Amino acid sequence: MNSRPKIVILGAGMSGIACALRLYKNFDVQIFEKSKGVGGRLCAKKTKEGLFHFGAQYCSAQSSAFQNFLKENDAKKFLGSSFDMNTNSCIDTHNYFVGINGMHSFLKNYNQILNMHFSQKAIKVDEKKKLVYFESGNTESYDIVISSLPLPQAQEIFEAEIEHDATFNPCISMGMILKGQTHNEHNAYKNIDQDISWLGSSKFYNPGDNETWVLQFSPQTSLEKINNSNNSLEVICNDAVQHTIKGKYEIMHCGVFKWKYALCKRSNLEKKFTSMSDNSFAIGDWNISPRVESAYISGSELGKFLIETRS
Ligand SMILES: Cc1cc2nc3c(=O)[nH]c(=O)nc-3n(C[C@H](O)[C@H](O)[C@H](O)COP(=O)(O)OP(=O)(O)OC[C@H]3O[C@@H](n4cnc5c(N)ncnc54)[C@H](O)[C@@H]3O)c2cc1C
């Protein structure tokens, strides 16, 4: 019989997995994820044309713990240069890391050691009964529940109010193939104009594969145009690409990805996770700042806290 306290973690993005990695040797940890795989906003899509990073494009690593995590998970250095069109200068990318098989590949190996349940969307947490309800009709009991969802999504499923002032911006990402001859000096461009904040080639993470491009709309334009048709978004995208990438080519669109909750507006290092009660907690980048490393720190710090206080 398993007598270890049971911890249910909702979400298998960076923060949820970082937390589980701290806890799984001391607790019975069960992860429930609504999608078919790990990653969350570290999202990559493989198509016959190539690989597209629709979420985080790269991550930076300041803490030695996160640097070690990236090393263990085969992260590579960002290749080539990135150019900021606002300041007209190259960005220092020496501390930028990427996953050559998609940013979610940092988390893929943990399927073997963590108990993960996919296609399980949590719809309600009953904190009195200590039960999580899922869209599938399943329920799961817990001793401790941890949400790793973006704050607005966590607020929807917990009955108790989660007091926090973080807010989120949406982001529209567009994946493309350029057919023909291109002459681009840099592998990525930032702050292209008021509509477009990022245009990056897959050459910065995988020079050997078919070249793909990902464009991200700025937070303001994403907010204004999140409900626009893909065709009207493609018009804005065409203009930006043709002004930025030189050559004779045609733009083939391979997909639009709309993130309702992409990047939180926050920068705070004081509280790395949120306690709703003795048995319920919320982790995620939004506790600190909109970065992959912040998600890792948030999950890892809650794990450390629970080991120190509950095991
Ligand atoms: C377009 C975009 C570009 C970005 N660019 C960068 C960048 O260049 N560098 C950088 O450092 N950061 C970047 N970020 C931010 C980075 O991706 C996030 O900070 C980080 O991935 C957040 O991890 P997380 O674990 O906090 O949340 P998430 O990755 O959002 O994980 C939450 C998980 O919960 C799951 N979930 C949601 N609802 C439910 C539910 N009801 N039941 C069960 N599971 C559920 C989700 O599917 C997801 O897997 C970017 C993000 C986006 C969207």
Side-chain angles (χ1 to χ4, degrees):
M1 213 178 87
N2 197 343
S3 59
R4 298 182 302 168
K6 180 172 168 187
I7 299 190
V8 164
I9 299 180
L10 305 176
M14 179 56 85
S15 62
I17 288 183
C19 190
L21 287 174
R22 283 273 188 174
L23 296 169
Y24 77 99
K25 288 185 182 153
N26 298 56
F27 297 90
D28 168 20
V29 176
Q30 304 290 330
I31 303 178
F32 294 85
E33 162 61 49
K34 76 171 177 186
S35 315
K36 289 191 192 130
V38 296
R41 280 174 279 157
L42 297 179
C43 154
K45 191 165 181 153
K46 207 169 184 131
T47 68
K48 61 180 187 327
E49 288 90 1
L51 184 75
F52 297 87
H53 284 185
F54 279 122
Q57 300 288 295
Y58 58 85
C59 59
S60 51
Q62 268 137 34
S63 63
S64 56
F66 190 53
Q67 282 165 5
N68 288 339
F69 173 88
L70 290 177
K71 211 165 160 191
E72 278 163 20
N73 289 290
D74 210 22
K76 303 283 182 238
K77 290 264 187 183
F78 187 105
L79 286 173
S81 54
S82 174
F83 191 77
D84 188 333
M85 297 181 69
N86 230 352
T87 57
N88 225 10
S89 59
C90 277
I91 299 164
D92 177 6
T93 54
H94 86 275
N95 196 22
Y96 284 11
F97 297 89
V98 291
I100 53 170
N101 293 314
M103 293 292 283
H104 68 312
S105 61
F106 298 151
L107 303 176
K108 270 188 140 173
N109 291 338
Y110 299 114
N111 276 333
Q112 286 147 23
I113 56 168
L114 300 175
N115 291 313
M116 301 205 216
H117 311 268
F118 295 106
S119 304
Q120 291 294 332
K121 182 178 179 182
I123 50 170
K124 185 178 148 189
V125 178
D126 184 328
E127 292 182 75
K128 284 196 194 92
K129 292 186 182 154
K130 291 195 173 174
L131 267 187
V132 184
Y133 294 82
F134 294 91
E135 204 172 55
S136 58
N138 294 346
T139 54
E140 195 70 30
S141 62
Y142 63 80
D143 296 304
I144 295 173
V145 65
I146 299 170
S147 160
S148 75
L149 281 44
L151 176 65
Q153 290 173 319
Q155 283 167 327
E156 276 171 27
I157 63 168
F158 278 81
E159 284 170 333
E161 210 173 303
I162 307 177
E163 282 179 28
H164 207 281
D165 58 6
T167 54
F168 271 79
N169 281 317
C171 181
I172 305 171
S173 295
M174 192 169 285
M176 293 169 292
I177 298 280
L178 306 186
K179 291 238 156 92
Q181 292 292 317
T182 57
H183 314 287
N184 44 304
E185 204 180 327
H186 307 284
N187 275 346
Y189 299 85
K190 226 177 152 178
N191 300 320
I192 289 158
D193 57 29
Q194 61 175 22
D195 290 323
I196 312 295
S197 56
W198 173 265
L199 179 59
S201 156
S202 58
K203 295 287 173 206
F204 73 75
Y205 59 86
N206 197 344
D209 222 346
N210 277 351
E211 186 174 23
T212 63
W213 286 80
V214 168
L215 173 148
Q216 288 172 356
F217 285 73
S218 64
Q220 187 56 35
T221 303
S222 294
L223 186 64
E224 285 165 14
K225 303 199 186 295
I226 191 103
N227 296 320
N228 280 28
S229 69
N230 291 357
N231 284 350
S232 73
L233 295 171
E234 284 172 12
V235 173
I236 308 175
C237 159
N238 278 358
D239 277 1
V241 172
Q242 267 151 11
H243 279 107
T244 313
I245 299 173
K246 309 280 175 272
K248 267 196 160 192
Y249 55 85
E250 243 185 282
I251 305 171
M252 322 287 279
H253 292 281
C254 292
V256 175
F257 203 98
K258 292 178 178 173
W259 297 95
K260 192 170 172 193
Y261 305 115
L263 298 167
C264 59
K265 288 190 240 169
R266 188 170 170 81
S267 179
N268 183 326
L269 282 172
E270 278 159 35
K271 275 181 72 187
K272 303 197 169 58
F273 56 85
T274 301
S275 311
M276 282 89 83
S277 71
D278 274 357
N279 308 311
S280 54
F281 300 89
I283 52 176
D285 60 344
W286 51 268
N287 284 280
I288 306 172
S289 67
R291 295 177 49 233
V292 182
E293 184 173 19
S294 299
Y296 174 86
I297 292 172
S298 178
S300 210
E301 287 293 314
L302 174 61
K304 203 165 121 199
F305 169 80
L306 292 174
I307 295 277
E308 284 165 5
T309 57
R310 308 294 173 86
S311 63

